[in-house]
Amino acid sequence: MKKKKQLRSQRSIDITGFTFIAPWLIGFLGFIVGPMIASLYFSFTNYDLLSAPTWIGFENYITMFTDDARFIQALKVTFIFVFGSVPLKLAFALFVAMLFNTKRKGVGLYRTLYYVPSILGGSVAVAVVWRELFGREGALNDVLGIFGIEGTSWVTSPDFALSTLILLVVWQFGSPMLIFLAGLKAIPNELYEAAAVDGASPFLQFLKITLPMLSPVIFFNLVMQTIQGFMAFTQSFLITNGGPMDRTLFYAVYLYEKAFAHFDMGYASALAWILLLICALFTALIFKSAQSWVYYESEGGR
């Protein structure tokens, strides 16, 4: 009898719990799991939205790697973008966070101002501003002209367009900067005081105290920024539209073109699954390498 009451009580608790998470669960199944399963099926079909999908097996994947030069170009551009922008962005965010980790007047205001680019970075307004700054008649060329240097249209030049987009992403350092700042404030001040007493220079303190203590935060930011880098879309789509000559053709932009400009949904689904596998592979590599450079205090410094 007592067991029955316990079972009823536990069942009531379970039902209450499932009721609370039901909205999220329905959304997760309906808007994430469902579309993913549908996308996996479409990736093995020839589907143009207007007619019924036709099963073609691995043909989309084979075509992608053997007869699609733009796919290879999109991969190349995206890898350069990720490997160029992520380290620069994290380094700059850490540098600014260390500047803000001081007790000076107006630091709170500056933190807010430096976070604004992260909120506006992907908007149409910023794309227009970026075009004006780096266009042929832009402000950057005006400044260069003062020193007698002839500028160019940085966003339409095949040699400089990708670098300009990387610069824009580095400028959006607000989110990782705030996370770095929270991590810096969690490092005990006593460690720096003891190191200073022992004669350690600020650079040595940074290498031996700040970086090891901050390694879990660096790890988190590295994973998040790497995934965001592979999924980058708005910078290329809004500012250069993948050009010039596909020099800024991000993978996500090419996927969008295939899906909504060419209506080749089967091929676009295959592209999406390859992107998912790339993100999963690099995330797994970062997790694997973390065993050698990320230190957790709860695990005895390992």
Side-chain angles (χ1 to χ4, degrees):
M1 191 69 181
K2 189 177 178 181
K3 280 188 176 179
K4 283 186 177 178
K5 283 187 176 179
Q6 286 180 340
L7 284 173
R8 284 178 187 170
S9 174
Q10 184 60 44
R11 193 177 302 162
S12 174
I13 292 172
D14 291 344
I15 291 172
T16 304
F18 279 115
T19 304
F20 274 106
I21 67 168
W24 174 85
L25 201 58
I26 293 169
F28 177 70
L29 294 174
F31 294 105
I32 297 179
V33 176
M36 284 184 71
I37 294 172
S39 168
L40 182 61
Y41 167 71
F42 289 140
S43 72
F44 295 103
T45 66
N46 183 15
Y47 181 44
D48 61 2
L49 284 177
L50 301 175
S51 54
T54 308
W55 182 266
I56 56 173
F58 287 94
E59 189 175 319
N60 284 330
Y61 293 95
I62 294 171
T63 303
M64 200 182 301
F65 288 99
T66 59
D67 192 27
D68 189 350
R70 293 196 79 206
F71 165 74
I72 301 299
Q73 174 66 10
L75 269 184
K76 180 183 168 186
V77 169
T78 305
F79 275 103
I80 293 173
F81 175 77
V82 171
F83 293 139
S85 66
V86 172
L88 286 175
K89 187 176 184 178
L90 292 184
F92 194 58
L94 178 58
F95 172 72
V96 177
M98 291 185 71
L99 290 180
F100 286 157
N101 191 33
T102 54
K103 295 177 181 178
R104 294 178 182 172
K105 287 185 178 178
V107 168
L109 174 64
Y110 283 113
R111 286 175 197 160
T112 306
L113 291 177
Y114 275 80
Y115 187 67
V116 169
S118 292
I119 302 172
L120 303 175
S123 70
V124 176
V126 168
V128 174
V129 170
W130 215 249
R131 274 180 175 275
E132 291 300 318
L133 282 174
F134 291 91
R136 181 168 290 280
E137 306 297 329
L140 178 62
N141 285 342
D142 290 341
V143 174
L144 292 175
I146 296 173
F147 299 98
I149 302 172
E150 186 179 354
T152 182
S153 179
W154 305 93
V155 293
T156 58
S157 166
D159 296 327
F160 299 107
L162 184 58
S163 304
T164 307
L165 296 187
I166 289 175
L167 191 62
L168 169 61
V169 173
V170 173
W171 178 60
Q172 300 171 259
F173 62 89
S175 296
M177 182 268 290
L178 283 182
I179 297 171
F180 277 137
L181 190 59
L184 287 171
K185 288 190 174 299
I187 299 175
N189 222 18
E190 291 79 7
L191 295 177
Y192 293 106
E193 292 173 357
V197 170
D198 289 341
S201 64
F203 181 68
L204 202 59
Q205 291 177 27
F206 174 75
L207 285 182
K208 299 295 184 182
I209 298 174
T210 305
L211 283 183
M213 295 293 288
L214 208 59
S215 57
V217 179
I218 296 173
F219 168 71
F220 173 79
N221 272 336
L222 180 61
V223 171
M224 298 304 294
Q225 295 302 321
T226 301
I227 294 173
Q228 286 182 18
F230 280 113
M231 296 172 63
F233 173 78
T234 51
Q235 295 86 0
S236 171
F237 184 72
L238 291 175
I239 298 175
T240 61
N241 199 22
M245 299 165 60
D246 285 347
R247 294 297 180 91
T248 61
L249 183 65
F250 287 3
Y251 193 97
V253 173
Y254 183 51
L255 192 157
Y256 175 85
E257 277 186 17
K258 280 291 179 185
F260 299 104
H262 304 158
F263 298 107
D264 194 349
M265 296 300 289
Y267 197 81
S269 298
L271 286 170
W273 276 94
I274 292 297
L275 179 60
L276 178 65
L277 292 178
I278 291 172
C279 289
L281 174 64
F282 276 88
T283 304
L285 289 175
I286 295 171
F287 268 86
K288 186 67 178 176
S289 70
Q291 296 172 2
S292 61
W293 62 274
V294 178
Y295 301 91
Y296 294 101
E297 191 176 357
S298 60
E299 297 178 6
R302 289 195 53 78

